[in-house]
Amino acid sequence: MAVPRPLFAATTAALGRVTELFDFLWPAAVGLWNLRWQVQGLDRHLVRASEGVLQARFVAGSEIHGANLRRACIDTAWSQQLEQLGHVALANIFAVYEAWSAEVVEEATARASRELAEGLQFPSTSAHRRGKRKHVQSALASLRSGKSSAMSAYEPAFLASSVAAPNNLDDLLNVYRCFKECRNSIMHNGGRASQAAVDALSAAAAVAAQPTPPFRIPPLPVVALGQPVQITLFSVVGFSDLVRRLVVTIDGLLVGSQHGERALSRRWRATLGVRTLKTEPKARVGQLQRLLGKLHLPPTSDPAGLEALLLREGLVN
């Protein structure tokens, strides 16, 4: 099934930011590969080109200062640079997800809640989240507490997409935590794996070891306590797909709430304004479904319920 546009604006924005990241990163990686090839070729041609010659040929006019082309393009292995690019992508993807978790909570509830936003970042199977600290299931229980009959009938259309995995949130977040603890080790522990990273890898490996994994598992990082974390750019690319699944799934799980009502009303009002529906019942239903299509949303299984909601909001007559 085609993936409908997420209902919440925060989710659409987060998915766009991931796309923008790779729209920059892939050409940057290709450019670096080609720069390496050209620098190495010139160096071989001149037997050993001076740094001044390399700067004059490849850097002059760029307004870039401090680039050491010999060290970057000759002395450093391509595999090492792919790993460095992976670190850059990893840090940015977590920035996107953590910003999204705060934004979607605030969009849904009209208030900021650090507790709920953090809850969307931990599986319910995480022992240290039990008790007073929220995890994904307790956070969603809070966010979905105000049910909407019209939107509850609409929710399955969002969760039926091939990207959504509503029954596997804990599995998704166990893999997410593995990459997060590796990122924490890279950023805060000199690149050496912490015990938290080792434990998180074990939980993620258990998901990957299932006879039929519930979704595509990205290649997991290589983690050993106190040793440098090994993670590739291509592993991070796979992880970005997992993050996409997370935000689309949680977005879909919020559709059936009163927060979903407000999100739909906001989008309808901003895009369509107030519409007059046809008088003949069958034509009226068809018009309503077409208007949903204009919002890049799937058809509803309860057009009467959705129409009643839109009438109450003053969006149709």
Side-chain angles (χ1 to χ4, degrees), residues 50-61:
S50 68
E51 187 61 28
V53 168
L54 295 177
Q55 293 284 322
R57 173 63 181 83
F58 298 108
V59 180

Side-chain angles (χ1 to χ4, degrees), residues 233-297:
L233 173 61
F234 304 109
S235 178
V236 177
V237 171
F239 173 66
S240 72
D241 180 68
L242 181 144
V243 168
R244 181 169 174 251
R245 289 181 182 277
L246 267 175
V247 300
V248 167
T249 300
I250 294 173
D251 183 284
L253 288 169
L254 297 180
V255 167
S257 67
Q258 292 174 3
H259 307 313
E261 288 186 357
R262 289 190 287 272
L264 176 63
S265 297
R266 281 193 297 268
R267 185 184 294 187
W268 185 291
R269 192 180 306 279
T271 306
L272 300 175
V274 179
R275 292 297 179 111
T276 299
L277 297 181
K278 298 179 185 296
T279 54
E280 195 276 319
K282 186 174 181 180
R284 194 175 179 91
V285 170
Q287 182 186 7
L288 177 63
Q289 302 286 31
R290 287 192 297 275
L291 289 170
L292 289 171
K294 289 180 180 295
L295 298 177
H296 303 282
L297 296 177

Side-chain angles (χ1 to χ4, degrees), residues 115-129:
E115 182 184 30
L116 288 174
E118 286 188 353
L120 297 179
Q121 301 171 36
F122 287 87
S124 61
T125 51
S126 178
H128 71 284
R129 301 301 293 186

Side-chain angles (χ1 to χ4, degrees), residues 150 288 302-314 316:
L288 177 63
D302 182 19
L306 188 59
E307 181 185 336
L309 166 62
L310 296 170
L311 283 167
R312 188 172 73 245
E313 294 291 320
V316 298

